[in-house]
């Protein structure tokens, strides 16, 4: 009998190390031996997804990973529910390029929706298989059997029973995932929908959880990178004489990639500090103050996503015309832990520990970068600091891999705070123009929207190969031009307007390197749409909630708008009817036009003389279909709200003509405890009869507009440039 | 150099000016304290030295040798959590939890000297601790609960 945990020879050799380190608190790994080839398990095979041990415990192999948002708990609830085993009997293996199915990267709020659906189906197939095995054993037809707590029994005869462990313990299912196994009806759910405590929190709260920063491999050296003095600068010379006094520290260089390694971490840090490098100076960036003007002139591909009716004519003959331009700056993911990775690259194989969102994509990219066949590269996802999108994790993995290949030893690379602030791919700066016309009754008759946006995706892997990795670029790779992604997300709002045009100018380049950050273009576009809805409501002399309701037809949209207004005890008024230090603002989105519905009412205190704005309360109504874990969902929404307040009021990446100059937490401030609201009130609208849709990011989007609207309500000043400064 | 960490004496081989953080993580093998900035700006590396919450990334190991050091691992375990850890678990006050070492250690030092901190005091004490996941609301609730749990434990202890 073969245990599934060792179903691959390589897993037999290294699997214990992986499982062992998570459980035993030993952080030490033996360096990987020469690894035989390995490709990810096939999605259409049941054994790729889960295994049952002789004692009945279940191991699930999830391609989707925990990013701090609680998905490993929510997904475990889905599997426990569908399979019929106790929640705590499930062991979770995630994001291992050799052991888990390639479910795509953990991005775009798709984890519960898509990843959860795949896991649910696999668990349903396993349950069906177990019932078929149990039927002859129990001498009863399948439809007379019931499953509970990992045991199959005959309905009405509880003593005729057999456990999952007895049925298949330690053996393979050897069965395809057909997609035909029947899943449970939500009315039968007893685990899904419960506020299960997050599985990994006791370890996290007691310092036992192993993050990628904590991985140690025998014989490992500590590495630090030294980034170019300016973006695009070439390395002219290196003087390592100062390293002589630092025990064993040495330089690692390839073209413009520069790093140091040392046995001790503090020596690597000191070596990076004292090493003298001369770089060519280059000025590739525009004047920060003219960013918006520069963006709208960059070469672009135009995409018209909506063009209905006669927009120009309808606005031209409207009773009232309004137009505005909104601007959003570059922002940072700003993870609290700078990116880190450990790599052990041998002549013909490589093992990389990384907090990447896509172990499989990174595997392919690194294989190309290192010149190794993909099957000899093993990426082991290990949790990092919360990332909210594509931060420096993949780049740090490539740094570690390159250094390990050049030095011939396992290397751990820890980015400094300045490395992360300066070189993580940035959240995208955008410009949004809107104009619209109102008829005499205050109805919107035409809407004309244009957005200028660089791409929101420059992940490695897939068609992009390795050229999106910083280390690849520093050693000569030039990223191929790729389709621009994500900037038109929520450019088209959900309101019903007869004549509507939405154009996205997808910029072919960007002053700063950009990639996905929570919500992609949705917060920016929704900031413009929701601010503008308020401007129109003022022009129409109508209460902003009422004005939105007049233009909504989708009952779920109407329901969240009403629910948020009720939660906030919203009193109908025309915005800024009276001057007051306090204001209220409203915002709404249906994320991506197909996902969660969110409405937000926020209260602000404005002190114009002190130039300060504080959000004192946020009321959120949220509908994402079936709720898997209500407490986890609330946690995620609260996080989105706080982060969105921070992005709206405080955050902007500064740069001079050559480089990013926001290099620490003073140069890039985020919201602090003294600035948080007094309360965030949340109403979850559950729809057990509907599938779960993404909820990871949605509640970010309505906040920026709601804050701008609240500031207008208080002061009569319409702020259109983020960060909003009074 | 001799260090007393979580009640155990360690003889560590490190230059006196090495930041305590690296000695704890690499020499002593305690990875609960986290590297966040190395600049004293975020709090992720917080440990308690001689009863005071300090930033181990900017504290030379030589100056930490003066008193007993407590790290998050020394407060409690998953089976027997310290009241502060217990409160954070009960309130589910974390997302990625990378910042949480700092939040818990700062809170432990706070309620050791102020048994019933007000919400204002909690916020101002944690103001130099950064969290990017936006878990602040839950963290404040967890600190309030931690104070209540500690107080209950102490009163319970006195009565017993
Ligand atoms: S790591 Fe010490 S304060 Fe940030
Ligand atoms: S919980 Fe992730 S940084 Fe605070």
């Amino acid at each position: 009998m073969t245990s599934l945990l060792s179903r691959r020879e390589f897993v037999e050799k290294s699997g214990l190390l992986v499982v062992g380190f998570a459980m035993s608190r030993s952080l030490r790994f033996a360096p990987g031996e020469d690894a035989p080839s390995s490709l990810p398990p096939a999605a259409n095979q049941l054994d790729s997804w889960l295994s049952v041990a002789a004692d009945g415990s279940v191991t699930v192999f999830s391609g989707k990973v925990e990013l701090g948002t609680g998905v490993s708990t929510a997904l475990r609830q889905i599997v426990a529910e569908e399979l019929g085993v106790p929640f705590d009997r499930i062991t979770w293996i995630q994001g291992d390029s050799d052991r888990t199915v390639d479910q795509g990267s953990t991005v775009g709020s798709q984890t519960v929706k898509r990843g959860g659906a795949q896991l649910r189906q696999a668990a349903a197939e396993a349950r069906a298989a177990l019932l078929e095995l149990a039927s002859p054993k129990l001498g009863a037809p399948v439809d007379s059997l019931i499953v509970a707590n990992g045991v199959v029994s005959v309905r009405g005869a509880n003593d005729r029973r057999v456990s999952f462990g007895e049925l298949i313990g330690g053996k393979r299912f050897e069965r395809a995932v057909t997609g035909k196994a029947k899943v449970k009806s939500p009315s039968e759910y007893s685990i899904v929908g419960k506020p299960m405590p997050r599985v990994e929190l006791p370890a996290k709260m007691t310092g036992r959880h192993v993050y990628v920063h904590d991985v140690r491999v025998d014989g490992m050296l500590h590495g630090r990178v030294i980034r170019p003095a300016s973006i695009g600068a070439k390395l002219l010379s290196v003087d390592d004489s100062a390293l002589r006094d630092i025990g064993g520290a040495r330089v690692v260089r390839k073209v413009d990639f520069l790093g140091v390694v040392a046995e001790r971490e503090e020596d690597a840090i000191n070596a990076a500090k004292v090493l003298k490098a001369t770089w060519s100076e280059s000025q590739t960036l525009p004047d920060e103050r003219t960013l918006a003007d520069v963006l709208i002139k960059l070469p672009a591909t135009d995409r018209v996503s909506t063009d209905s009716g006669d927009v120009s004519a309808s606005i031209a003959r409207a009773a009232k015309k309004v137009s505005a331009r909104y601007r959003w700056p570059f922002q940072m993911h700003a993870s609290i832990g700078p990116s880190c990775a450990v790599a052990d690259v041998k002549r013909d194989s490589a093992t990389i520990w990384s907090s990447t969102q896509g172990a499989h994509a990174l595997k392919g990219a690194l294989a190309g970068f290192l010149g190794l066949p993909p099957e000899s590269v093993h990426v082991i996802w290990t949790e990092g600091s919360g990332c909210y999108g594509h931060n420096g994790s993949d780049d740090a993995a490539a740094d570690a891999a390159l250094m390990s290949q050049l030095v011939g030893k396992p290397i751990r690379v820890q980015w400094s705070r300045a490395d992360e602030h300066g070189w993580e791919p940035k959240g995208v700066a955008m410009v949004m123009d809107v104009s619209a016309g109102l008829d005499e009754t205050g109805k919107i008759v035409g809407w004309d929207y244009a957005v200028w946006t660089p791409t929101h995706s420059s992940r490695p892997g897939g068609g992009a190969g390795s050229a999106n990795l910083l280390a690849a670029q520093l050693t000569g790779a030039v990223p191929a031009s790729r389709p621009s992604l994500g900037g038109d997300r929520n450019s088209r709002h959900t309101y019903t307007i007869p004549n509507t045009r939405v154009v996205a100018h997808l910029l072919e380049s960007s002053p700063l390197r950009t990639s996905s950050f929570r919500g992609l273009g949705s917060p920016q576009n929704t900031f413009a749409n929701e601010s503008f809805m308020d401007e129109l409501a003022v022009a129409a002399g109508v209460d902003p909630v009422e004005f939105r309701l007049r233009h909504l037809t989708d009952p779920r949209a109407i329901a969240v708008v009403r629910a948020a207004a009720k939660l906030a005890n919203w009193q109908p008024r025309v915005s800024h009817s009276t001057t007051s230090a306090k204001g209220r603002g409203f915002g709404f989105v249906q994320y991506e036009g197909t996902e969660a519905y969110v409405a937000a009412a926020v209260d602000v205190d404005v002190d114009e003389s002190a130039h300060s704005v504080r959000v004192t309360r946020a009321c959120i109504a949220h509908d994402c279909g079936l709720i898997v874990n209500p407490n986890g969902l609330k946690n995620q929404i609260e996080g989105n709200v706080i982060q969105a307040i921070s992005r709206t009021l405080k955050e902007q990446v500064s740069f001079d003509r050559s480089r990013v100059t926001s290099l620490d937490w003073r140069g890039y401030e985020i919201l602090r405890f003294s600035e948080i609201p007094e309360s965030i009130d949340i109403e979850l609208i559950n729809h057990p009869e509907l599938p779960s849709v993404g909820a990871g990011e949605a509640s970010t989007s309505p906040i920026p507009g709601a804050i701008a609207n609240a500031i207008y309500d208080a002061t009569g000043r319409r702020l259109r440039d983020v960060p909003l400064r009074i | 150099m001799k260090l007393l960490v979580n009640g155990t004496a360690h003889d560590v081989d490190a230059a006196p000016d090495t930041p305590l953080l690296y000695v704890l993580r690499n020499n002593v093998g305690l990875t609960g304290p986290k590297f966040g900035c190395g600049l004293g700006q975020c709090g992720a590396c917080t440990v308690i030295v001689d009863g005071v919450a300090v930033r181990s990334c900017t504290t030379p190991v030589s100056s930490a040798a003066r008193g007993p050091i407590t790290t998050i691992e020394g407060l409690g375990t998953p089976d027997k959590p310290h009241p502060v850890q217990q409160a954070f678990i009960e309130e589910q006050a974390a997302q990625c939890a990378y910042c949480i070492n700092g939040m818990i250690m700062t809170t432990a030092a706070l309620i050791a000297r102020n048994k019933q901190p007000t919400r204002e005091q909690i916020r101002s004490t944690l103001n130099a601790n950064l969290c990017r996941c936006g878990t602040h609301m839950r963290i404040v609730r967890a600190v309030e609960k931690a104070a209540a749990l500690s107080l209950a434990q102490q009163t319970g202890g006195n009565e017993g």
Side-chain angles (χ1 to χ4, degrees):
Chain A
M1 195 191 323
T2 41
S3 145
L4 282 180
L5 274 175
S6 58
R7 65 177 184 260
R8 283 157 213 290
E9 204 194 352
F10 182 55
V11 176
E12 252 169 41
K13 286 185 186 160
S14 73
L16 234 190
L17 296 167
V18 179
V19 177
F21 93 89
M23 300 190 154
S24 73
R25 294 197 50 218
S26 154
L27 309 177
R28 293 236 157 241
F29 290 76
E33 293 158 39
D34 289 336
S37 317
S38 195
L39 286 169
N44 62 358
Q45 289 305 309
L46 185 49
D47 292 310
S48 303
W49 295 97
L50 55 90
S51 70
V52 179
D55 66 356
S57 63
V58 175
T59 303
V60 176
F61 302 90
S62 167
K64 298 286 186 185
V65 298
E66 179 61 64
L67 302 174
T69 61
V71 297
S72 64
T73 299
L75 293 176
R76 212 176 305 215
Q77 285 177 264
I78 290 174
V79 172
E81 181 74 64
E82 207 57 49
L83 190 56
V85 293
F87 179 77
D88 56 9
R89 304 275 348 248
I90 298 182
T91 301
W92 205 253
I93 306 288
Q94 27 184 349
D96 183 314
S97 69
D98 282 4
R99 303 170 75 200
T100 61
V101 175
D102 183 357
Q103 292 184 270
S105 299
T106 307
V107 300
S109 304
Q110 295 297 304
T111 305
V112 168
K113 179 184 173 179
R114 297 236 174 93
Q118 282 178 298
L119 284 162
R120 176 182 290 122
Q121 195 55 42
E125 300 272 356
R127 190 167 184 269
L130 288 159
L131 286 172
E132 283 170 28
L133 289 170
S135 171
K137 278 221 160 89
L138 296 173
V142 163
D143 58 12
S144 70
L145 302 178
I146 50 173
V147 175
N149 290 328
V151 173
V152 185
S153 58
V154 180
R155 190 177 289 112
N158 213 7
D159 53 330
R160 291 168 65 196
R161 52 197 278 137
V162 58
S163 72
F164 285 5
E166 290 164 319
L167 286 169
I168 198 154
K171 294 199 285 283
R172 300 170 62 89
F173 285 96
E174 301 291 0
R175 191 179 158 118
V177 177
T178 61
K180 293 203 186 98
K182 201 167 157 277
V183 297
K184 277 189 184 174
S185 139
S187 61
E188 300 169 62
Y189 284 170
S190 63
I191 303 171
V192 166
K194 288 256 148 54
M196 301 298 284
R198 291 256 305 277
V199 174
E200 82 286 15
L201 287 198
K204 283 181 168 175
M205 300 304 191
T206 53
R208 267 90 176 158
H209 189 75
V210 177
Y211 293 85
V212 70
H213 307 74
D214 308 327
V215 169
R216 300 290 184 272
V217 175
D218 285 343
M220 175 189 99
L221 300 179
H222 289 274
R224 286 294 186 276
V225 289
I226 295 110
R227 292 301 184 212
S230 54
I231 292 170
K234 302 280 161 224
L235 182 52
L236 301 177
S237 66
V238 179
D239 170 5
D240 66 355
S241 53
L243 263 54
R244 255 178 259 134
D245 305 331
I246 303 177
R250 62 180 168 119
V251 172
V252 185
R253 177 184 176 179
K254 186 174 178 185
V255 196
D256 298 318
F257 179 93
L258 182 61
V260 290
V261 293
E263 245 164 65
R264 301 177 70 116
E265 188 166 13
E266 57 271 27
D267 288 341
I269 295 168
N270 288 336
K273 212 175 284 166
V274 300
L275 185 72
K276 288 196 189 70
T278 317
W279 302 89
S280 68
E281 196 60 25
S282 53
Q283 296 206 328
T284 57
L285 301 179
D287 179 342
E288 186 182 305
R289 289 161 304 184
T290 64
L291 179 62
D293 304 329
V294 170
L295 288 180
I296 61 170
K297 290 199 197 93
L298 287 175
T301 309
D302 294 346
R303 186 193 296 156
V304 182
S305 59
T306 307
D307 196 356
S308 68
D310 190 339
V311 174
S312 308
S314 64
I315 296 177
R317 45 166 201 269
K320 269 188 190 151
K321 303 179 207 22
V322 184
S323 61
R325 167 168 290 181
Y326 303 88
R327 299 176 184 86
W328 193 283
F330 289 110
Q331 296 185 325
M332 293 186 196
H333 303 78
S335 298
I336 295 298
S339 296
C340 181
V342 180
D344 183 10
V345 180
K346 305 234 179 299
R347 202 169 37 81
D348 52 6
S349 70
T351 308
I352 294 99
W353 288 263
S354 165
S355 52
T356 177
Q357 290 180 287
H360 296 90
L362 181 60
K363 170 193 175 103
L366 288 179
F369 179 48
L370 297 169
L372 291 171
E375 57 272 19
S376 67
V377 176
H378 184 191
V379 175
I380 303 172
W381 170 85
T382 313
E383 190 168 351
S385 186
C387 64
Y388 332 103
H390 178 199
N391 70 349
S393 294
D394 294 285
D395 293 319
D399 293 343
L402 177 59
M403 287 213 233
S404 178
Q405 188 173 48
L406 294 173
V407 172
K409 290 196 172 182
I411 305 284
R412 170 181 183 269
V413 170
Q414 168 71 68
W415 278 15
S416 70
R417 175 46 54 200
D419 293 335
E420 188 77 24
H421 266 50
W423 293 87
E424 60 141 282
K426 300 295 178 286
V428 177
M430 287 165 55
V431 180
M432 287 77 58
D433 276 1
V434 208
S435 44
L438 295 167
D439 68 13
E440 294 76 11
T441 69
K443 269 236 161 225
I444 308 170
V445 291
W447 182 285
D448 199 358
Y449 187 93
V451 53
W452 286 261
T453 172
T455 187
H456 291 249
S457 176
S458 60
R459 293 179 187 278
S466 60
N468 278 343
L469 295 163
L470 261 184
Q473 292 168 11
L474 292 168
T475 51
V478 179
S481 137
R482 310 269 313 149
S484 175
L485 269 175
D488 55 356
R489 185 170 288 184
N490 281 123
S491 51
R492 172 81 166 96
H493 54 59
T494 306
Y495 302 105
T496 305
I497 293 163
N499 306 289
T500 299
R501 179 165 50 213
V502 178
V503 183
H505 304 287
L506 306 171
L507 309 182
E508 286 160 18
S509 62
S510 167
L512 295 177
R513 176 177 171 245
T514 55
S515 199
S516 60
F517 179 25
R518 183 168 278 174
L520 278 62
S522 173
Q524 293 90 327
N525 285 316
T526 308
F527 164 63
N529 281 325
E530 287 301 297
S531 295
F532 197 66
M533 279 301 279
D534 237 62
E535 299 203 37
L536 292 174
V538 170
V542 177
D543 168 67
V545 173
E546 172 61 26
F547 187 72
R548 283 171 173 80
L549 288 170
R550 284 185 193 174
H551 293 92
L552 285 171
T553 47
D554 180 338
R556 291 172 76 187
I558 293 168
V560 291
V561 168
R562 288 198 199 283
K566 182 152 177 252
L567 197 58
N569 188 23
W570 185 275
Q571 302 301 322
R573 79 292 242 340
V574 176
S575 285
H576 189 56
S577 328
T578 54
T579 313
S580 150
K582 294 185 191 305
R584 317 197 85 181
F586 204 86
F588 160 77
V589 75
Q590 182 188 11
Y591 191 61
E592 291 198 65
T594 52
E595 307 285 310
Y597 298 82
V598 192
V602 306
D603 292 350
V604 296
D605 271 2
V606 182
D607 184 341
E608 289 197 66
S609 57
H611 304 290
S612 91
V613 176
R614 170 146 181 236
V615 174
T616 53
R617 184 181 184 209
C619 294
I620 312 292
H622 193 280
D623 168 2
C624 59
L626 165 73
I627 297 170
V628 176
N629 185 328
N631 194 25
L633 178 57
K634 279 193 173 168
N635 199 351
Q636 183 69 17
I637 294 170
E638 288 167 23
N640 279 333
V641 171
I642 297 263
Q643 198 182 77
I645 295 171
S646 183
R647 289 175 69 179
T648 306
L649 293 178
K650 305 193 72 160
E651 299 183 24
Q652 172 168 28
V653 173
S654 298
F655 49 89
D656 61 21
R657 304 302 296 268
S658 300
R659 62 189 72 77
V660 170
T661 52
S662 308
L663 295 176
D664 65 9
W665 293 116
R666 286 195 231 294
Y668 193 84
E669 278 275 347
I670 61 173
L671 205 73
R672 293 174 181 274
F673 277 93
S674 57
E675 301 163 319
I676 60 173
E678 294 303 326
S679 71
I680 298 177
D681 300 313
I682 299 170
E683 178 159 332
L684 301 179
I685 301 175
N686 191 17
H687 280 289
E689 75 287 2
L690 296 172
S692 306
V693 295
E697 308 163 294
S699 44
T700 301
S701 295
I703 302 298
I707 295 174
N709 298 340
I711 293 171
Y712 176 83
D713 185 40
T715 64
R717 285 177 59 192
R718 176 56 64 181
L719 303 185
R720 300 190 184 90
D721 295 345
V722 167
L724 305 178
R725 294 204 169 118
I726 196 86
Chain B
M1 198 171 323
K2 298 217 187 314
L3 293 181
L4 185 62
V5 188
N6 299 334
T8 306
H10 293 267
D11 205 350
V12 297
D13 160 34
D17 60 349
T18 308
L20 174 62
L21 176 66
Y22 303 110
V23 175
L24 290 172
R25 289 179 56 83
N26 299 330
N27 299 49
V28 184
L30 293 170
T31 55
K34 294 286 179 256
F35 170 74
C37 64
L39 307 165
Q41 294 178 348
C42 75
C45 62
T46 306
V47 300
I48 297 176
V49 180
D50 222 359
V52 180
V54 304
R55 312 237 142 161
S56 67
C57 71
T58 49
T59 304
V61 62
S62 54
S63 83
R66 66 188 145 82
I69 300 165
T70 307
T71 72
I72 191 165
E73 291 95 335
L75 281 190
T77 65
D79 295 332
K80 246 182 141 301
H82 180 276
V84 177
Q85 294 168 320
Q86 175 76 28
F88 272 69
I89 293 169
E90 284 178 16
E91 289 297 326
Q92 296 281 295
Q95 291 195 30
C96 77
Y98 198 89
C99 68
I100 290 294
N101 167 71
M103 302 296 175
I104 286 182
M105 299 312 286
T106 308
T107 300
L110 168 67
I111 62 175
R113 59 168 199 273
N114 177 355
K115 306 234 168 312
Q116 281 174 295
T118 63
R119 193 162 266 217
E120 247 352 275
Q121 287 167 332
I122 292 169
R123 284 184 172 173
S124 68
T125 306
L126 291 176
N127 208 37
N129 285 61
L130 300 179
C131 170
R132 181 53 160 168
C133 294
T135 319
H136 303 68
M137 310 300 287
R138 283 168 186 247
I139 292 171
V140 171
R141 285 206 298 274
V143 177
E144 288 171 344
K145 180 172 255 184
L149 284 178
S150 302
L151 210 56
Q153 249 186 25
Q154 284 160 16
T155 353
N158 290 344
E159 281 162 10

